[in-house]
Amino acid sequence: MIELALTTVLALLLSFLADRDKTLAGLKKGAGMFLNILPAMLGVLILVSVFLYLVPASLMTAWLGKGTGWTGIVSAAVLGSISLIPGFIAFPLGAILLHSGVSFQVIAVFITTLMMVGFLTLPLEAKYFGWRVSLLRNALSFAGALLVGLLMGNFL
Amino acid sequence: MNSRAIGFLKKFGFFLLFAVFIAVSHIGSFAAGKEIGKNFRVFFLEMILILPLMFILIGLFDVWVPRERLMRHLGPGSGAWGILWVVLLAMLQAGPLYGAFPVAALLWRKGCSVRNVFIYLGAFTTIKIPMLAFEVGFLGWKFSLLRGLFSFPVFIAIGFLLAFYLKNRQFEVREPG
């Protein structure tokens, strides 16, 4: 976050020194793109907020903790695909699961699907790539994430 | 009502409804609504802190990087180097997935190949240097190393597969608006 802020300030400063008009044009373009996507983004955030109310982190832990073998892996994959949890919550959650006895394989599947598959962001993704390609990309990512998670489990 | 106000309502009407719902929940002590509002605040803060900065960078990138140059390095025929560059670009970024879509659209508009656009997205979702210390701290270096090692061929393969599938289908990355 701080790195991003510093980079932005530095880039702005350099750009401004190099060419004022170009910088202003760039800022205008960036602001336009931001405002165009803002409604869709707010929609996704509302979806995520409702989802997290229906399935809070404590409930996720309970579900994943109970599952053993394939049930655990499937529920981890489904939960991971639907949820949209930032890394700074997901990794500590993974550590908690690990300490409560959940297998590494289930955690790996949960984390990989969480990162690679975005079910709730599909409406937003479709605005850029269209529904067909977005669904295809996520389906491929789902298969890939499952594979990565399962493979990881064999080595951990 | 003028057309601008109607346009605004069309775009943000659902959000105004949501805001009213949260406000009413607070007045009426409706627990579910309050909880959803609390969740929304957390995500909204994350978005409103990161995205404006990102879009400033995207705007600057847009005016400063010439299409010919980007195309030469990331476009069709850029080969293994093109892959390396998009992966590096993605790895240095942090933030949620939805922040990667506008960057992907910009790369596309500047001449990045379909394959590299999707490899960028794949790398963005899997490997993030700013988050690495965090991941290692909580789940151990072996976890991160294995995840990176196995994910790498997977998202490269997905990029190739999608590019192959979209080859003759007039695929385009649109910019919403």
Side-chain angles (χ1 to χ4, degrees):
Chain A
M1 180 65 225
I2 293 170
E3 290 88 346
L4 178 64
L6 282 177
T7 315
T8 311
V9 170
L10 196 69
L12 256 180
L13 211 68
L14 284 174
S15 172
F16 205 78
L17 285 175
D19 190 330
R20 230 182 107 163
D21 294 334
K22 228 173 175 174
T23 307
L24 288 176
L27 286 177
K28 231 183 192 163
K29 272 191 173 169
M33 284 187 244
F34 179 57
L35 287 177
N36 276 336
I37 197 60
L38 193 59
M41 230 162 233
L42 288 173
V44 168
L45 293 193
I46 293 175
L47 273 180
V48 175
S49 309
V50 173
F51 173 80
L52 207 62
Y53 165 73
L54 296 173
V55 189
S58 52
L59 191 61
M60 280 189 212
T61 322
W63 279 353
L64 293 177
K66 260 188 283 179
T68 45
W70 283 101
T71 351
I73 287 166
V74 170
S75 49
V78 171
L79 265 183
S81 303
I82 300 175
S83 318
L84 187 89
I85 316 174
F88 57 84
I89 299 175
F91 294 130
L93 187 66
I96 293 170
L97 289 172
L98 195 61
H99 290 306
S100 58
V102 178
S103 77
F104 244 126
Q105 195 150 37
V106 169
I107 294 165
V109 167
F110 177 65
I111 297 276
T112 49
T113 47
L114 186 66
M115 298 183 87
M116 293 172 75
V117 188
F119 187 75
L120 291 178
T121 43
L122 267 176
L124 191 64
E125 187 169 347
K127 284 204 181 289
Y128 288 94
F129 303 115
W131 276 101
R132 201 170 41 114
V133 175
S134 302
L135 283 170
L136 187 61
R137 194 190 78 82
N138 277 277
L140 287 172
S141 300
F142 181 81
L146 202 56
L147 182 72
V148 171
L150 290 175
L151 276 173
M152 281 170 71
N154 284 334
F155 287 90
L156 285 163
Chain B
M1 225 179 350
N2 59 34
S3 63
R4 242 183 123 170
I6 292 173
F8 181 82
L9 272 183
K10 248 188 184 162
K11 272 185 163 173
F12 290 98
F14 73 97
F15 180 65
L16 292 176
L17 275 179
F18 178 73
V20 169
F21 165 68
I22 298 303
V24 169
S25 300
H26 272 271
I27 296 164
S29 296
F30 177 48
K34 278 164 87 173
E35 192 64 31
I36 291 171
K38 217 169 76 193
N39 291 339
F40 182 80
R41 206 156 52 227
V42 174
F43 289 116
F44 182 74
L45 271 179
E46 190 199 14
M47 183 193 88
I48 214 68
L49 284 174
I50 293 180
L51 282 183
L53 294 174
M54 271 191 61
F55 274 99
I56 292 177
L57 288 177
I58 290 175
L60 291 178
F61 189 90
D62 198 353
V63 290
W64 281 107
V65 179
R67 193 183 143 86
E68 311 79 62
R69 179 172 303 171
L70 191 135
M71 203 164 169
R72 185 152 23 99
H73 291 292
L74 305 179
S78 57
W81 278 104
I83 295 177
L84 188 75
W85 287 126
V86 279
V87 170
L88 274 177
L89 176 69
M91 276 167 67
L92 291 173
Q93 285 180 276
L97 174 63
Y98 54 70
F101 301 139
V103 179
L106 175 66
L107 288 175
W108 164 262
R109 182 151 54 79
K110 291 272 181 191
C112 183
S113 67
V114 177
R115 186 192 72 201
N116 286 348
V117 166
F118 286 112
I119 291 181
Y120 165 80
L121 273 185
F124 185 95
T125 55
T126 28
I127 310 172
K128 289 185 193 136
I129 298 286
M131 288 303 289
L132 192 62
F134 211 73
E135 182 180 355
V136 171
F138 278 102
L139 293 169
W141 63 268
K142 214 177 156 190
F143 186 90
S144 305
L145 192 73
L146 285 172
R147 201 171 65 73
L149 217 62
F150 292 137
S151 303
F152 199 79
V154 166
F155 66 70
I156 302 265
I158 290 176
F160 272 91
L161 275 173
L162 283 172
F164 177 74
Y165 170 74
L166 295 169
K167 208 170 175 184
N168 297 314
R169 287 173 201 257
Q170 279 97 38
F171 171 70
E172 263 185 67
V173 182
R174 289 179 302 240
E175 295 192 60

